């Protein structure tokens, strides 16, 4: 459905959004002395690092073939989906839905572009999104040590052919 525009998602999904966010907040925090910006950079850096580490470890151990590239065996899970959903989750947690919804839209575009380009199966994307969102929200909540009552994540079903959207509210 994306035609030749899949390359945009391919390029964005390499973690550039995560790096730009981190560097932007580090720079802002350094020159203005605002600790909040430095903390935001640290949260994004931690979430991105843990996401990348987990994704790489799973890719190395599972060795799943790609849909249209059978000579490559690093399909599961999608690193592009995991990094972009880590980015979107941290942005949403730190800046609210005004910036979070566009961030999740970009993460979704990146993920769909990977399927469009024959690089991933749907279950690769769902697993990657779950890893990224889990680390994004988990690192944020761990850093803030808050009593945030709301949590949203995607959980793959047992057959890996579909997923559930889980919303949790603590009261």
């Amino acid at each position: 459905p994306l035609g030749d525009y899949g390359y945009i998602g391919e390029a964005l999904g390499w973690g550039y959004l995560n790096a730009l966010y981190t560097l932007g907040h580090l720079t802002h925090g350094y020159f203005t002395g605002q600790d909040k910006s430095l903390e935001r950079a640290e949260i994004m850096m931690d979430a991105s690092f843990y996401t990348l580490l987990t994704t790489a470890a799973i890719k190395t151990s599972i060795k799943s073939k790609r849909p249209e590239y059978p000579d490559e065996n690093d399909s599961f899970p999608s690193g592009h989906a995991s990094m972009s959903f880590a980015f979107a989750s941290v942005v949403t947690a730190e800046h609210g839905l005004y910036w979070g919804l566009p961030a999740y839209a970009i993460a979704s575009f990146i993920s769909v572009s990977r399927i469009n380009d024959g690089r991933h199966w749907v279950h690769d994307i769902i697993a990657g999104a779950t890893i990224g969102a889990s680390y994004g929200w988990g690192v944020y909540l761990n850093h803030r040590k808050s009593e945030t009552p709301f949590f949203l994540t995607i959980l793959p079903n047992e057959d890996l052919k579909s997923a559930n959207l889980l919303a949790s509210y603590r009261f």
Side-chain angles (χ1 to χ4, degrees), residues 55 59 75-83 111 114 120 124-125 127-129:
T55 302
K59 279 180 176 287
S75 183
F76 183 86
S78 169
H80 284 68
S82 64
M83 290 300 282
S111 298
R114 304 306 287 156
H120 285 289
D124 299 340
I125 300 301

Side-chain angles (χ1 to χ4, degrees), residues 37 62 100 102 107 119 127 141 143 165:
S37 287
I62 300 280
R119 303 296 293 182
L141 293 172
H143 270 265
L165 181 64

Side-chain angles (χ1 to χ4, degrees), residues 23-41:
L23 291 173
H25 281 284
L26 276 175
T27 303
H28 181 263
Y30 178 77
F31 286 113
T32 65
Q34 291 191 12
D35 290 337
K36 179 106 172 154
S37 287
L38 295 174
E39 188 176 4
R40 285 177 170 165

Side-chain angles (χ1 to χ4, degrees), residues 76 121-124 126 155-164:
F76 183 86
W121 305 98
V122 172
H123 65 272
D124 299 340
I126 293 169
L155 297 174
N157 285 331
E158 200 171 302
D159 62 1
L160 296 178
K161 294 181 180 177
S162 59
N164 294 315

Side-chain angles (χ1 to χ4, degrees), residues 10 63-76 113-121 124:
E10 197 273 334
K63 298 188 184 304
S64 175
K65 302 278 185 209
R66 293 185 182 269
E68 294 181 21
Y69 299 87
D71 295 338
E72 297 178 20
N73 62 352
D74 59 347
S75 183
F76 183 86
S113 77
R114 304 306 287 156
I115 296 169
N116 181 76
D117 293 349
R119 303 296 293 182
H120 285 289
W121 305 98
D124 299 340

